[in-house]
Amino acid sequence: MAMATGPPPLTGIKVLEFAGLAPGPFAGMLLADAGASVLRIDRAQHGGGARPAQDLLTRHKASLAVDLKRPRGAALVRALVAGGADVLVDPFRPGVLEKLGLGPRELLALNPRLVYARLTGFRRDGRYKDMAGHDINYLAVSGALSLLGREADTPHPPMNLLADFAGGGATLFQGILLALLARQASGRGQVVEASMVDGASYLATFPRLLLKTGLGARGRGRNLLDGGCPYYDTYATKDGRYMSVGALEPQFFAALMAGLGLAGQGWEARRHDPGEWPALRRVLEHVFARRTRSEWEAVFDGTDACCAPVLDYAELETDPAREGDQRPAVALRRTPCLAVKRQGDAPGDAATHGQGRGVPGDGYEGAALTPGQGGEEVLAQWLGWTKGNEYDVSDGGFVLAKAESKL
């Protein structure tokens, strides 16, 4: 018998996300995908029509435009916190919200159950705490960047995936979930502090430990898993595309050699000798260049050679036979997260694909969220507020309608 599907796991959780770029919105998106009601606090749009913010990580969110420097604007945020917000996401540099009277001391006094989640690039207590930076800088001082790149090249970051999104937004999301879990036992919220330096460093735990072993001590780009080993790398095919190879175990390596027509040449016995790696790499480059990627797929699909095509998003988006549809990060069998890909009336397995109709763009196109979009509906859902009673809109921003007498 099929298991009954319940609401997404974070249904009922109310989140205030101060507008930012990349990691903060990503954390908010993860919360929204899991069913939380996420209300982004955007800057007020003075003197003209509302313009979309520079943020594409907006699915399942709504927005309020607020001038936090106006007393009635900041009062509105305090009222939302006092009214039962569960999570607040602070993406600013240290001290910004404190200067506006919206720091953790003030807001936790209003709502002791609040999870006040803060994200910085550099550590708040480190030597770089007063400096501006980006993903590449946080990755650099974490030590992780020193491990990335080819032997003969400079250290090279993997776009802004590792510090901004994995070490930043996803790590903050994890901290929020831990704080919500702890609140079940204590009844109290707390401050959650994440930094992209610490997040990236934590993600690099395994390669950092390998530096003290023979598997990672040869220097950047010369080891088993960092591009130094020829049977853990990518190779160009005849049509200018690429195949990935990860044939580490002996049985997988044997299957690779068989598929390439190289079985019986002695590479199985010599593959552990780094001195043989340059010669093996030349052989692999030559052999892979003889056929197109699709021809190599025909050889290796269904085998244990650990040899798979390098796919790009353009083909994933247009080829339904590929595993390109955007799904929730994890399948929850009883309480699935929300769908990303549009599914119509018959979505199939809700846990695998997510529940609900999905979003425009199917995860390939971000939808800009105009400041104020959907905000009035969320205020009504959260607190039963209506415009002209509890709040007003003044000079492009939402403000508290009444005096902040008890806040």
Side-chain angles (χ1 to χ4, degrees):
M1 185 174 68
M3 182 180 295
T5 296
L10 295 185
T11 298
I13 296 295
K14 305 178 183 68
V15 180
L16 293 174
E17 174 202 307
F18 285 94
L21 293 176
F26 186 61
M29 188 190 75
L30 290 170
L31 293 165
D33 283 348
S37 177
V38 178
L39 185 60
R40 190 178 72 188
I41 305 299
D42 282 298
R43 292 184 178 183
Q45 306 292 296
H46 298 301
R51 299 175 297 277
Q54 293 180 324
D55 175 14
L56 297 177
L57 302 169
T58 61
R59 62 181 180 238
H60 308 304
K61 298 180 184 179
S63 166
L64 282 184
V66 181
D67 185 347
L68 297 176
K69 294 182 180 180
R70 295 180 63 182
R72 290 170 65 203
L76 176 69
V77 174
R78 283 190 284 269
L80 291 174
V81 170
D86 296 287
V87 179
L88 181 146
V89 178
D90 170 14
F92 301 121
R93 292 175 70 171
V96 170
L97 288 182
E98 283 86 346
K99 292 179 181 178
L100 297 169
L102 300 172
R105 178 178 299 177
E106 295 87 352
L107 297 191
L108 284 169
L110 292 175
N111 179 1
R113 290 177 55 82
L114 179 69
V115 173
Y116 197 111
R118 322 191 77 173
L119 178 64
T120 60
F122 297 118
R123 288 178 171 177
R124 287 179 177 270
D125 59 350
R127 64 180 293 176
Y128 309 108
K129 60 184 175 61
D130 296 322
M131 296 170 55
H134 279 295
D135 179 284
I136 191 171
N137 309 119
Y138 312 138
L139 201 58
V141 303
S142 77
L145 185 56
S146 70
L147 305 176
L148 305 176
R150 296 288 185 178
E151 175 186 2
D153 202 353
T154 59
H156 189 73
M159 296 186 66
N160 64 332
L161 295 175
L162 189 48
D164 273 353
F165 293 104
T171 299
L172 184 68
F173 173 67
Q174 174 181 308
I176 291 169
L177 296 183
L178 292 173
L180 289 173
L181 184 62
R183 191 179 73 173
Q184 288 187 321
S186 68
R188 300 183 65 83
Q190 61 183 296
V191 177
V192 175
E193 291 193 354
S195 82
M196 288 171 244
V197 169
D198 288 327
S201 179
Y202 200 88
L203 288 165
T205 294
F206 182 65
R208 186 172 70 242
L209 296 177
L210 288 185
L211 292 174
K212 305 295 185 181
T213 75
L215 293 177
R218 292 171 47 81
R220 185 183 70 253
R222 300 181 63 195
N223 302 288
L224 186 68
L225 301 176
D226 63 2
C229 175
Y231 46 93
Y232 198 89
D233 209 340
T234 58
Y235 291 93
T237 57
K238 185 178 181 180
D239 55 348
R241 296 189 172 188
Y242 301 91
M243 293 292 289
S244 69
V245 173
L248 297 176
E249 290 79 6
Q251 68 274 26
F252 301 155
F253 186 83
L256 176 70
M257 292 295 99
L260 294 173
L262 298 174
Q265 298 185 15
W267 291 115
E268 294 84 353
R270 290 180 282 159
R271 69 191 184 97
H272 291 300
D273 181 1
E276 296 284 348
W277 286 358
L280 178 55
R281 184 182 302 279
R282 289 191 294 270
V283 171
L284 295 180
E285 289 172 343
H286 178 71
V287 172
F288 272 109
R290 292 176 181 172
R291 299 185 185 183
T292 65
R293 194 190 73 182
S294 61
E295 290 173 328
W296 284 121
E297 287 186 75
V299 171
F300 288 111
D301 275 4
T303 76
D304 282 344
C306 298
C307 187
V310 178
L311 305 175
D312 61 51
Y313 282 110
E315 61 186 313
L316 284 174
E317 184 177 2
T318 56
D319 185 353
R322 301 291 187 182
E323 297 179 353
D325 57 307
Q326 181 69 66
R327 300 179 180 183
V330 64
L332 298 175
R333 288 293 164 188
R334 189 176 296 279
T335 57
C337 293
L338 296 175
V340 178
K341 180 178 174 62
R342 289 168 293 184
Q343 301 180 79
D345 295 322
D349 186 342
T352 299
H353 299 277
Q355 57 181 312
R357 287 185 170 272
V359 297
D362 293 348
Y364 287 100
E365 299 177 19
L369 187 63
T370 301
Q373 181 178 338
E376 294 191 22
E377 291 83 352
V378 170
L379 294 181
Q381 293 166 4
W382 284 16
L383 299 169
W385 285 7
T386 57
K387 184 178 178 181
N389 290 314
E390 292 81 11
Y391 69 92
D392 285 311
V393 179
S394 172
D395 194 19
F398 284 68
V399 295
L400 194 67
K402 299 176 181 179
E404 194 182 8
S405 58
K406 296 182 181 181
L407 301 177

